[in-house]
Amino acid sequence: MQGISGMLQLGLLLGLQLGLEVALPPPCDSQIYCTGELLRQVQMAKLYQDDKHFVDMPLTKDPDQVLSDFNELFNSSGGNISRDLLKTFVNEHFKDPGQEMETWIPEDWKASPRFFQNISDTRLRAWAEDLHNIWKKLGRKIKLDVSDQPDRYSLIYAAHPFIVPGGRFIEFYYWDSYWVMQGLLLSEMAATVKGMLQNFLDMVKHYGHVPNGGRVYYLQRSQPPLLTLMMDRYLAYTNDLAFLRDNIETLDLELVFWMRDRSVNISHKGEHYVLNRYHVPYGGPRPESYSKDEELAELLPEDARESLWTELKAGAEAGWDFSSRWFVGSNYLLDIKTSQVVPADLNAFLCQAEELLANFHTKLGNMTMAQYYLEAQAQRKAAMKALLWNETLGSWFDFHIETRKQNHAFYPSNLSPLWAGCFSDLDTVRKNIKYLEDNKIFTYRHGIPTSLQISGQQWDFPNAWAPLQDLVVKGLADSGSAQAQEVAFQLAQNWIQTNFALYQKNKAMYEKYDISIDVAEPGGGGEYEVQEGFGWTNGVALQFLDRYGNLLTSRSGPMLPSTSWLLLALLLLDLLC
Ligand SMILES: *[C@@H]1O[C@H](CO)[C@@H](O)[C@H](O)[C@H]1NC(C)=O
Ligand SMILES: *[C@@H]1O[C@H](CO)[C@@H](O)[C@H](O)[C@H]1NC(C)=O
Ligand SMILES: *[C@@H]1O[C@H](CO)[C@@H](O)[C@H](O)[C@H]1NC(C)=O
Ligand SMILES: *[C@@H]1O[C@H](CO)[C@@H](O)[C@H](O)[C@H]1NC(C)=O
Ligand SMILES: *[C@@H]1O[C@H](CO)[C@@H](O)[C@H](O)[C@H]1NC(C)=O
Ligand SMILES: *[C@@H]1O[C@H](CO)[C@@H](O)[C@H](O)[C@H]1NC(C)=O
């Protein structure tokens, strides 16, 4: 303990000397993985190409010992530790990342799930087999030592094995898992899905919410809330009501977190509305991107840095890290103000969760709770209609709390209320299609772009992401409009051909794609190299192959006069009918 209190004193001393105020708590208590001088020294020395490497390394000794050894090194070098000594120190006190997990072949994996038979194009069918095989590469199980000696790991113990995204993302992630689970259910792997659900439910019981991912440095931020929807999809496949009954209160608890810690009051035209936002009031640079956050902050006066760091964390909580969506007043990361944005997708996800929870409670015979959620949803819909919907433009938008204005830039997330089934009348569907047309989205033949702005960030043009294709395609496909269904199919076809073409070329699936060039390429930009794997991309591809298996083709046919003209014609037809 002497080590820790020594470190604290030292930290305080340094803090006082530099005139810093320690205003906000760090993302976790660990003096190694979340805050403190050791973390700062190692990350700022850039011992590894990716800052995530260091904070994923398990300890070879107890944390107290590691800290007191570091303290000694720090004292003996007068606070100026050479890079070589630092490297030696890390080699002696830490192990390489990844050893705390083992690859796990899901027990419920079996060859040739039934739906493959419905894929007419033989090349696409063979590809679906490959995607199904990749689950065996992405399965992970956490070793028991992580449970026995949690202090020696940044990994959060989860009792059940899971599927990871891939690449640098070697642990579980929250919102990724929804699309992974959709794919797993098509692969007839409900037992794996149940285990992943149990892990998330355990997190809610333990921490009150599902963390962003399975590491202590992710603890104080969540990710887009899709846990209730995951449960719904699992139930649709298994009808496992006993599992629902056992866990319904935990699902309720997650909603309490979002309403207690992530809501915001907005008065507008004499009415009072409550909606949700991403907000992470915890200080310091993100441990897994420490040097980048520190260097960015150095461009600001000292008293503005903590605020920048909270907004970066909130951007990570949004799942869109990073994007012009969160920038207020410029196209630059320094102007990130995530917590000042009321996001269309977050509120759509919660609107859907409220509806599903009302259904769940009805099934279980708790009409009081069912009524509570229906009222909450009605209030949310009224708020979304008043603040996020724009009748002229025919879409929902993010709303800026400070400027009290909608952000009218194009993002696929603007259509998420349709995807969530929160609003689905035919008039809305028709306006949404016109909105896509007005933004010339149908002229992008390789996928729906994340935005139309180039910011250098990965959640902007020219990148396209699998979950965002689903947000648009499923919303339109499930609507009652034949025209919307035709549009949805065309968009799914474009995306499948992009994924397939690059798979043929590189034998890999990516987290994101560059859709601005005619030859499909992996995406780029942002904080790290593009990653392969890739959980949610595979999940969405399997979903499209399932829905349109009899229609999809692996090769782009002769181009129609122009997809957008065809769609415009369909739209006119629809307006006339
Ligand atoms: C490091 O220096 C501080 C302040 O001089 C002292 O309190 C502490 O005991 C020293 N720690 C070690 C491990 O030498
Ligand atoms: C730290 O030590 C290096 C040599 O090891 C030296 O070049 C550098 O100036 C020192 N920095 C400070 C702040 O004393
Ligand atoms: C295959 O397609 C048929 C006809 O559309 C459908 O009835 C059946 O459910 C599909 N099978 C699977 C496993 O998706
Ligand atoms: C919103 O306003 C209501 C009523 O005035 C209040 O009870 C609630 O605490 C406020 N919530 C937030 C997040 O400010
Ligand atoms: C409904 O759920 C609430 C919250 O979990 C609980 O307090 C109440 O007893 C339940 N009522 C019934 C009828 O099950
Ligand atoms: C909707 O968009 C139009 C056109 O940009 C704008 O004039 C109007 O103020 C917007 N409405 C709302 C409610 O923001």
Side-chain angles (χ1 to χ4, degrees), residues 473-486:
V473 169
K474 187 173 176 296
L476 296 173
D478 287 347
S479 76
S481 149
Q483 283 71 28
Q485 286 162 7
E486 178 56 33

Side-chain angles (χ1 to χ4, degrees), residues 184-487:
L184 290 173
L185 290 174
L186 289 169
S187 287
E188 300 169 29
M189 293 164 66
T192 298
V193 171
K194 184 177 189 176
M196 291 172 72
L197 262 170
Q198 278 170 315
N199 288 340
F200 289 145
L201 291 160
D202 287 347
M203 298 296 143
V204 176
K205 282 183 214 162
H206 218 90
Y207 305 109
H209 62 271
V210 183
N212 181 145
R215 294 279 173 183
V216 292
Y217 51 76
Y218 289 142
L219 269 180
Q220 298 302 347
R221 60 190 208 230
S222 189
Q223 248 188 347
L226 297 174
L227 180 59
T228 307
L229 181 62
M230 293 175 194
M231 175 66 94
D232 182 68
R233 298 293 81 213
Y234 170 74
L235 291 178
Y237 191 86
T238 61
N239 207 21
D240 187 352
L241 267 189
F243 187 62
L244 175 64
R245 187 170 293 112
D246 287 348
N247 293 293
I248 184 74
E249 285 179 16
T250 310
L251 294 177
D252 290 335
L253 206 57
E254 201 214 5
L255 266 271
V256 170
F257 163 79
W258 286 94
M259 295 319 292
R260 188 194 54 215
D261 294 344
R262 299 292 188 265
S263 65
V264 57
N265 281 337
I266 302 164
S267 33
H268 176 74
K269 295 188 177 160
E271 296 287 333
H272 197 74
Y273 298 108
V274 179
L275 283 171
N276 292 75
R277 62 170 171 167
Y278 296 107
H279 180 49
V280 185
Y282 285 83
R286 287 168 303 151
E288 82 284 9
S289 301
Y290 195 102
S291 61
K292 291 206 163 63
D293 285 6
E294 178 65 39
E295 283 160 10
L296 189 67
E298 279 165 14
L299 302 172
L300 291 178
E302 229 158 72
D303 62 0
R305 294 178 185 172
E306 278 288 64
S307 157
L308 170 72
W309 288 327
T310 66
E311 299 297 1
L312 289 169
K313 292 190 190 87
E317 180 169 82
W320 289 50
D321 39 342
F322 293 104
S323 167
S324 59
R325 272 184 84 185
W326 318 124
F327 305 164
V328 177
S330 87
N331 210 13
Y332 191 42
L333 187 56
L334 260 190
D335 290 309
I336 187 166
K337 299 250 164 34
T338 318
S339 70
Q340 291 304 316
V341 177
V342 175
D345 49 358
L346 172 59
N347 286 284
F349 297 150
L350 290 168
C351 182
Q352 182 177 50
E354 283 156 353
E355 173 145 356
L356 294 174
L357 282 166
N359 294 347
F360 293 168
H361 279 290
T362 304
K363 269 190 196 159
L364 299 174
N366 192 330
M367 299 321 284
T368 316
M369 286 303 282
Q371 195 54 36
Y372 164 81
Y373 282 115
L374 287 179
E375 276 163 25
Q377 197 207 28
Q379 282 176 23
R380 182 183 304 280
K381 280 189 181 179
M384 288 172 76
K385 194 100 201 186
L387 298 170
L388 310 186
W389 174 252
N390 189 303
E391 182 70 20
T392 318
L393 300 176
S395 180
W396 297 271
F397 294 97
D398 296 341
F399 179 85
H400 286 163
I401 297 167
E402 258 168 19
T403 64
R404 311 194 54 78
K405 284 199 179 112
Q406 296 174 342
N407 176 3
H408 288 161
F410 171 79
Y411 302 103
S413 50
N414 290 343
L415 263 58
S416 46
L418 189 63
W419 176 89
C422 197
F423 297 91
S424 52
D425 57 287
L426 286 181
D427 185 47
T428 302
V429 174
R430 196 174 291 146
K431 289 194 168 105
N432 277 187
I433 295 177
K434 182 164 185 307
Y435 168 71
L436 293 172
E437 175 69 30
D438 288 346
N439 282 279
K440 302 193 166 45
I441 298 310
F442 303 132
T443 62
Y444 297 97
R445 286 181 31 232
H446 304 297
I448 304 161
T450 307
S451 79
L452 302 179
Q453 303 175 63
I454 298 174
S455 67
Q457 301 301 328
Q458 57 170 350
W459 290 85
D460 271 314
F461 196 84
N463 285 338
W465 295 80
L468 304 185
Q469 313 301 308
D470 183 51
L471 277 190
V472 175
V473 169
K474 187 173 176 296
L476 296 173
D478 287 347
S479 76
S481 149
Q483 283 71 28
Q485 286 162 7
E486 178 56 33
V487 172

Side-chain angles (χ1 to χ4, degrees), residues 114-115 118 546:
R114 284 187 295 276
F115 95 86
N118 279 6
D546 172 51

